[in-house]
Structures are given as structure tokens and as C-alpha cells.
Amino acid sequence: MKYIYFTTAAFPKEELYGLTGQMRRAAVSIPSNIAEGAARNNEREFLQFLGIARGSLSELETQLLIAAEVGYINDVTPALEQVEKLFALLGGLINTIKRRLHP
């Protein structure tokens, strides 16, 4: 998330309410939904919030690609590698919970 804030700080000012805001909201949404889901009373709700977090991660991935395409990010590869790692971690957690819910 820190990377997103530092990177978007260099975006053009006219993007403040566009791509900058969208990327920051998506980046904050990922850990926020994981935390909220973990604090819920049952694993079904946690699973739902993990799905929302994964959706926000997909949004962020798309926004990173767009930012690179329009020239706002020079080397997007490290960020996309981090996105892939987080997808894998979330996927593993989701699968673990699904197996516990449906043995």
C-alpha cells in the first residue's frame, strides 16, 4: 500500500480525483476488508470479505496496468509481482476456509 501512495503522489494533479484516488482506495480496501472479515463472527462472512479484498486487488492490478500504459509508472513489473503474490496468498486462505466449511 505504501508503494501505491508514493507512486501516485507523482501522478499529474488532474488525476487526483481519477486514477490516483481509485488506486489509493483499492489499495486501502484490500487490507481493510481482510481485517473486517477476520473480526466477524463466522468463517462464511470472512470468506465473503476475502472475496471483496480479492476484487479490490483485481481493480488495483488493472489500474496499475493503465497507469503504466499512459506513462505514469515506468516499471510496473515489481508492483505486478507483488499483486500476484497477494493473489496467491488470498487464494490459499480462501481455499483453506472453504475446505473447513465444506469438509
Side-chain angles (χ1 to χ4, degrees):
M1 184 168 60
K2 192 167 39 171
Y3 168 84
I4 298 300
Y5 270 82
F6 288 138
T7 301
T8 57
F11 285 10
K13 295 301 173 208
E14 62 266 15
E15 286 292 347
L16 184 60
Y17 299 106
L19 196 54
T20 299
Q22 287 180 313
M23 289 178 72
R24 288 178 175 186
R25 280 189 298 279
V28 169
S29 177
I30 298 162
S32 298
N33 276 292
I34 294 169
E36 184 174 353
R40 293 295 175 133
N41 291 327
N42 64 62
E43 289 187 329
R44 289 188 196 286
E45 286 185 273
F46 188 23
L47 197 57
Q48 180 180 354
F49 279 89
L50 290 174
I52 294 167
R54 192 165 50 177
S56 294
L57 185 58
S58 291
E59 287 181 37
L60 183 58
E61 179 181 39
T62 300
Q63 293 157 355
L64 283 164
L65 291 168
I66 292 168
E69 191 172 306
V70 297
Y72 296 161
I73 300 175
N74 291 326
D75 185 10
V76 75
T77 303
L80 293 175
E81 288 171 352
Q82 289 298 311
V83 166
E84 287 302 315
K85 287 179 186 177
L86 189 49
F87 265 121
L89 290 171
L90 278 173
L93 182 55
I94 288 167
N95 289 335
T96 298
I97 293 172
K98 283 182 178 179
R99 281 194 299 275
R100 283 199 303 228
L101 288 172
H102 308 288

